[in-house]
Amino acid sequence: MKVLVSGAHGFIGSHLCERLLASGHEVRALVSPWGRAENLAAASRHPLLELVRADVALPGAVEGVCRGIEAVIHAAARLSDWGPAEPIMRTNVDGTRHLLEAAARSGARRFVLVSSVAVHTYSGFRDADTEATARDNLRLPYARSKIAAEDLVFAWAGEGVVVRPGLWPFGARDRQLRRVARALRQRRLPLLDDGSRVLNTAYVENLVQGLELASTKEGVRGRAFVIADGGAPTWREVLTHLATLIGAPPPVVGLSSRLATPAATAVEALWAVVAPGREPPLTGYRARLMRRDVHFSLLPARRDLGYEPKVSWREGLAASVDGDPVLRKIRDRPERRER
């Protein structure tokens, strides 16, 4: 099959290209005009990879990129839990619309959107059915953009499928995982309450397996699936295991959930004045992240896609540290352990 991967230079997109090439698919890697393609360094030498550049948010920019393509996996997105809504909506909603239109004109059969469990308000649920849970997170612009993008995919005349990665996707080349590791080494990442709330992690090798299945499995048009690792680890378990892998002290209990949200509101307001346009160190979204259980059932993906996570979250964290040069440097720098 010939597959277009948008956002191919990103963390998830680059791993997805490698997975599809290893499976024998031809891959057209769509990279933004300003995107750095070092994540595709290994894949770029593969004879079945073609790299193209276009900004999905610009009308007409993706004309022709889907020519000869059978399936599109749309991983390009603007991910932000703060800041103005307009640039987020332009990339995530308009960009999805432009690519859907290009795919339809070129006769592509399948369109898979990489969405987010952030479409749901994190009200507290374990082993939930994502398709039976309200997409009600209208407070966060990013979540609103993903709800709108999903609606476009569900309404598409072809075979549209939505994949929502578990709450914490991670792996080698993941800048967010690097930030978490640095914060642990510097003792700047406290747990909320006692860290006992559970979540779905999504090791990237499991995630791209699920995305490949979503692009090939028959009979799943109009469906949404959560793809994640097995189990329901707590935040304390995940962060403590990562701390052990990088030689950092375990995270400490340092913030009450009752204080986290008002503190985040104050920080965001302060940053808007003293550092406009710069990301604040604490946001309302992050303050709510560990507050309640955010865990979805994998049963629909197992039953209808044939998905089965092959790597445990513990094995995935270890492989991520071993496979990422930045994480190895954080791990192997002994002077950081004393901070």
Side-chain angles (χ1 to χ4, degrees):
M1 187 169 68
K2 193 163 187 175
V3 185
L4 175 80
V5 176
S6 73
H9 57 299
F11 155 57
I12 293 174
S14 60
H15 283 277
L16 178 58
C17 288
E18 291 171 358
R19 167 83 189 198
L20 294 171
L21 291 168
S23 297
H25 301 291
E26 294 181 61
V27 176
R28 183 172 295 157
L30 178 58
V31 176
S32 67
W34 57 87
R36 299 172 63 182
E38 61 262 30
N39 284 345
L40 288 169
S44 65
R45 296 186 291 271
H46 200 288
L48 294 180
L49 182 84
E50 174 192 2
L51 192 148
V52 297
R53 290 187 179 271
D55 182 358
V56 297
L58 293 178
V62 294
E63 187 63 41
V65 299
C66 295
R67 189 172 294 113
I69 293 295
E70 297 167 72
V72 174
I73 305 180
H74 183 32
R78 182 182 287 268
L79 173 59
S80 180
D81 58 12
W82 66 282
E86 193 275 334
I88 296 172
M89 302 299 283
R90 186 172 63 243
T91 297
N92 296 354
V93 183
D94 294 344
T96 301
R97 181 185 296 107
H98 298 155
L99 203 53
L100 281 166
E101 291 170 351
R105 285 192 293 269
S106 298
R109 179 180 59 86
R110 177 72 55 94
F111 192 104
V112 179
L113 173 69
V114 181
S115 187
S116 171
V117 295
V119 299
H120 308 293
T121 297
Y122 300 155
S123 56
F125 29 76
R126 295 193 183 201
D127 212 30
D129 181 348
T130 191
E131 291 185 304
T133 304
R135 298 180 303 154
D136 57 354
N137 190 359
L138 304 180
R139 174 189 302 181
L140 187 68
Y142 173 73
R144 293 202 307 271
S145 77
K146 284 300 188 180
I147 292 171
E150 288 186 357
D151 287 342
L152 291 172
V153 172
F154 291 141
W156 192 56
E159 299 175 9
V161 182
V162 167
V163 168
R164 301 173 187 145
L167 181 64
W168 188 8
F170 71 90
R173 306 196 291 266
D174 176 14
R175 286 184 288 182
Q176 181 62 32
L177 183 59
R178 294 169 181 174
R179 291 173 62 182
V180 170
R182 289 190 186 101
L184 284 169
R185 291 298 295 268
Q186 297 166 14
R187 301 184 184 225
R188 293 189 292 106
L189 188 64
L191 293 167
L192 197 64
D193 295 329
D194 61 355
S196 63
R197 301 304 186 183
V198 300
L199 71 152
N200 296 105
T201 58
Y203 175 50
V204 71
E205 297 302 329
N206 290 332
L207 176 55
V208 298
Q209 174 204 350
L211 286 167
E212 181 183 12
L213 288 168
S215 71
T216 57
K217 192 72 173 180
E218 297 298 330
V220 292
R221 180 182 185 273
R223 299 289 306 281
F225 299 95
V226 166
I227 297 295
D229 306 328
T234 66
W235 282 103
R236 178 186 287 277
E237 289 173 327
V238 173
L239 293 177
T240 298
H241 188 60
L242 177 58
T244 300
L245 290 170
I246 61 172
V252 296
V253 176
L255 195 60
S256 165
S257 61
R258 289 181 297 175
L259 302 176
T261 299
T265 301
V267 169
E268 285 188 340
L270 175 64
W271 238 247
V273 174
V274 302
R278 293 184 58 188
E279 180 179 355
L282 180 64
T283 66
Y285 174 81
R286 291 170 216 171
R288 294 186 293 272
L289 203 55
M290 300 184 193
R291 191 173 182 180
R292 291 188 171 89
D293 298 326
V294 185
H295 182 271
F296 294 90
S297 172
L298 301 185
L299 177 60
R302 285 179 160 128
R303 181 190 61 223
D304 300 329
L305 292 179
Y307 170 73
E308 189 62 43
K310 296 180 179 179
V311 184
S312 72
W313 65 266
R314 291 180 183 273
E315 294 168 333
L317 279 175
S320 300
V321 172
D322 288 341
D324 188 296
V326 176
L327 291 172
R328 290 199 304 270
K329 187 178 293 186
I330 294 170
R331 177 193 64 191
D332 297 338
R333 193 177 296 161
E335 68 271 15
R336 305 284 279 191
R337 300 179 189 179
E338 303 303 322
R339 295 190 177 184

